[in-house]
């Protein structure tokens, strides 16, 4: 686009725009971390993105504008269309998918730059450690790309099996070693297309191999980790291209994503190393050391409704089972009926309820539940002791007292919602089996627990009728 | 760019990311992950520059893929984040 703007002015304008974009990204993320301002946050960050993208067309010395615009249109429209259509329950895998695209893009940038170094046209010679960073970004971005796609396939239900074979970790180690050697060759020696292609193929492979053995329950942590990795890859490619908006946005996301990953792993009591290098939910450590005593006692939905209608305080604990049954709207209706009767109702959300932290909040928000009725684990756990009824609906492991009592349980040490401490517990559940993780839930056998079997939506409907009849 | 300047940028940006997230309530974890996923959609800008300087056909093909994926990341990330955050309402607000 030489000629439209004098080169000096174009350079200044581009740098100024990237600066503004970087500020808007950080400010937007900051606003996104509070519920009241969150929506404005994403809009500001969006403005930053538009500013940065538009001004990039003015970058001097570029060609291929037709290819560029058509790629933006095709990619943008496809993503817009899928993003608008996806159901809220499927949000986690969509995030994984878009994140994989970002990782793939960063890796592809690295590939172009490495090829350009080879043809001698590289703009990367003057940048600090440009080839090393390009290689590193390529590796991280490619792993995030193939890993995210596997995570997407798993959450979408296209890949139900957990693949594991003996010697897997040795194989991963060998591939990783090969990647280091190839990366060194690419960064430091004469270009060889054999090393170039082998590097990318192996990087794709390691992303797949790392992700296939991980069970669905751990996927949120994995997606968050790949999100952080993509950020890092983008940041590294930003250093390669000397693009400050990419450097700052990428590294900010890299570190924010790492912290978010840690928070999630902590909430699930699953150290990140365990998630990546050990299996979970495969049943090889399902034995429980504490004897299960007592029996499960059933209750009718209408009886359960009456005990809630006469309660002073009810806490609802929703889990992914509720979302699968699409019962959140009915539950909100039930809540409104209870509030009309003068019952104080709150929602207690475990950090990993749903498919990832905060996912349940999104699902409840979709049903119209105001966020100030919704409480985190730390805020509500002390309140169970003076609660009349805890209504557990579609949740299982997050209310299992085995996490407190049974040192041999795989979930021992995981913070749980202390539903068992309330005076009465009503559990809405489809059948008598164990949940997602296959662990027996001690709560179901407690004296103050009543089981209400049936489809969550159905049960909620009957409960609404029950409350109305009081 | 001089190595140490690059390192300073890296360090300060890393601290900023950490600080921005450190006080976020759990209810916003998923939208925020989605929001940060959108922010690294800035990769689109780099992809445009890479494609803009691509000469050989191989470079053009890879550059095209880079822009395609980058645009998908940015647009998709924005749409889903916006859709999620749109639903967060307080009981004091109407509608």
């Amino acid at each position: 686009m030489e000629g439209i703007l004098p080169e000096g002015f174009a350079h200044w304008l581009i740098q100024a725009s990237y600066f503004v974009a970087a500020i808007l990204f950080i400010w937007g993320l900051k606003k996104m971390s509070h519920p009241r301002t969150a929506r404005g946050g994403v809009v500001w960050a969006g403005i930053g993105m538009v500013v940065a993208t538009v001004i990039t067309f003015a970058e001097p010395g570029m060609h291929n504008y037709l290819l560029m615009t058509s790629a933006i249109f095709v990619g943008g429209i496809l993503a817009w269309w899928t993003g608008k259509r996806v159901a809220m329950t499927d949000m986690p895998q969509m995030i994984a998918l878009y994140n994989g695209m970002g990782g793939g893009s960063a890796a592809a940038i690295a590939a172009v730059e490495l090829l350009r170094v080879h043809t001698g046209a590289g703009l990367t010679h003057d940048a600090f450690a440009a080839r090393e960073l390009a290689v590193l970004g390529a590796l991280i971005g490619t792993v995030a790309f193939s890993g995210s796609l596997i995570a997407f396939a798993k959450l979408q239900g296209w890949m139900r099996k957990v693949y594991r074979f003996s010697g897997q970790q040795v194989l991963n180690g060998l591939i990783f070693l090969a990647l280091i050697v190839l990366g060194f060759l690419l960064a430091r020696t004469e270009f060889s297309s054999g090393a170039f292609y082998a590097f990318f193929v192996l990087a794709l492979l390691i992303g797949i191999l790392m992700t296939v053995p991980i069970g669905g329950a751990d996927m949120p942590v994995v997606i968050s980790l790949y999100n952080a990795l993509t950020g890092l890859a983008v940041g590294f490619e930003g250093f390669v291209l000397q693009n400050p908006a990419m450097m700052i946005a990428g590294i900010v996301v890299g570190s924010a994503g790492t912290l978010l990953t840690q928070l999630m792993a902590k909430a699930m009591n699953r150290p990140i190393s365990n998630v990546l290098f050990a299996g979970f939910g495969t049943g090889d450590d399902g034995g429980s050391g504490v004897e299960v005593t007592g029996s499960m006692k059933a209750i009718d939905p209408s009886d359960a409704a009456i005990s809630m209608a006469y309660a002073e305080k009810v806490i609802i604990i929703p889990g992914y089972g509720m979302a699968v049954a699409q019962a959140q709207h009915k539950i909100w209706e039930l809540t409104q009926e209870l509030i009309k009767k003068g019952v104080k109702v709150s929602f207690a959300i475990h950090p990993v309820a749903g498919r990832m932290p905060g996912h349940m909040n999104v699902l409840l928000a979709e049903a119209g539940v105001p966020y100030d009725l919704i409480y985190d684990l730390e805020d509500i756990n002390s309140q169970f002791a003076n609660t009349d009824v805890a209504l557990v609906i579609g949740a299982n492991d997050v209310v299992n007292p085995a996490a407190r009592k049974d040192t041999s349980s795989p979930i021992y040490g995981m913070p749980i919602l202390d539903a068992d401490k309330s005076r009465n517990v009503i559990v809405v559940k489809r059948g008598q089996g164990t949940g997602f993780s296959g662990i027996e839930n001690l709560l179901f056998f407690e004296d103050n627990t009543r089981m209400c079997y049936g489809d969550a939506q159905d049960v909620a409907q009957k409960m609404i009728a029950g409350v109305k009849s009081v | 760019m001089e190595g140490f300047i690059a390192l300073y940028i890296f360090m300060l940006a890393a601290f900023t990311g950490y600080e921005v997230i450190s006080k976020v309530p759990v209810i916003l974890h998923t939208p925020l992950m989605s929001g940060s996923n959108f922010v690294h959609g800035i990769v689109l800008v780099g992809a445009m520059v890479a494609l803009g300087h691509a000469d050989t056909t191989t470079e053009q093909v890879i550059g095209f893929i880079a822009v395609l994926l980058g645009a998908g990341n940015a647009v998709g990330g924005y749409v889903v984040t916006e859709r999620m955050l749109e639903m967060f309402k307080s009981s004091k607000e109407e509608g």
Side-chain angles (χ1 to χ4, degrees), chain A residues 171-440:
Chain A
L171 178 67
N172 286 1
L174 286 177
I175 294 177
F176 196 69
L177 223 63
L179 278 166
I180 292 176
V181 173
L182 289 169
F184 182 82
L185 291 180
L186 281 177
R188 283 296 168 88
T189 62
E190 196 71 19
F191 182 85
S192 105
S193 55
F196 177 81
Y197 288 112
F199 178 81
F200 279 99
V201 169
L202 284 183
L204 282 171
L205 194 63
I206 191 100
I208 296 171
L209 286 176
M210 270 170 63
T211 321
V212 286
I214 300 172
D218 281 334
M219 263 321 142
V221 179
V222 174
I223 294 174
S224 177
L225 182 69
Y226 287 145
N227 185 42
L229 286 183
T230 302
L232 207 56
V234 171
F236 285 160
E237 298 314 323
F239 282 101
V240 173
L241 297 172
Q242 304 270 300
N243 183 312
M246 273 172 82
M247 291 178 210
I248 291 170
I251 301 301
V252 164
V253 171
S255 88
T258 307
L259 178 60
L260 205 54
T261 310
Q262 282 171 347
L263 290 176
M264 285 188 197
K266 207 173 125 204
M268 296 167 79
N269 193 35
R270 297 276 294 149
I272 295 165
S273 56
N274 272 22
V275 173
L276 289 177
F277 303 117
F280 180 56
T282 49
D284 44 3
D285 49 2
S288 168
V290 168
E291 274 297 298
V292 177
T293 54
S295 57
M296 297 199 208
K297 295 158 284 286
I299 189 173
D300 216 45
S302 51
D303 290 340
I306 289 165
S307 69
M308 284 191 284
Y310 286 113
E312 213 167 284
K313 187 166 158 60
V314 171
I315 296 180
I316 300 176
I317 302 167
Y320 194 65
M322 178 200 72
V324 171
Q326 288 291 322
Q328 57 267 43
H329 294 90
K330 291 276 175 240
I331 292 297
W332 172 228
E333 207 181 321
L334 173 68
T335 307
Q336 286 169 306
E337 290 301 326
L338 287 172
I339 290 172
K340 268 188 223 159
K341 302 269 182 227
V343 183
K344 191 173 176 308
V345 187
S346 353
F347 287 82
I349 310 264
H350 190 272
V352 294
R355 282 291 174 81
M356 59 170 74
H359 188 204
M360 188 54 63
N361 303 81
V362 173
L363 296 170
L364 288 177
E366 187 194 17
V369 180
Y371 65 75
D372 46 2
L373 293 188
I374 302 175
Y375 294 89
D376 289 352
L377 182 132
E378 303 92 72
D379 298 329
I380 203 150
N381 252 354
S382 58
Q383 294 182 33
F384 280 107
N386 53 38
T387 296
D388 302 298
V389 180
L391 176 66
V392 179
I393 178 153
N396 194 337
D397 293 336
V398 299
V399 289
N400 191 347
R404 279 200 318 260
K405 295 177 193 161
D406 181 0
T407 47
S408 69
S409 173
I411 59 166
Y412 179 74
M414 178 174 89
I416 57 158
L417 289 161
D418 297 331
D420 55 322
K421 292 188 175 157
S422 57
R423 283 186 270 277
N424 298 286
V425 182
I426 296 166
V427 179
V428 179
K429 202 167 173 301
R430 214 163 22 186
Q432 297 203 346
T434 53
F436 203 41
S437 64
I439 301 162
E440 200 70 76

Side-chain angles (χ1 to χ4, degrees), chain A residues 125-165:
Chain A
H125 290 304
D126 51 338
F128 167 69
R131 278 169 76 182
E132 285 81 357
L133 284 175
V135 169
L136 204 55
L139 173 61
I140 299 172
T142 311
V143 168
F145 173 70
S146 57
S148 294
L149 291 189
I150 297 292
F152 169 79
K154 286 201 169 213
L155 288 178
Q156 190 73 10
W158 293 352
M159 185 190 283
R160 292 211 179 275
K161 238 176 90 89
V162 170
Y163 296 91
R164 210 170 287 152
F165 50 91

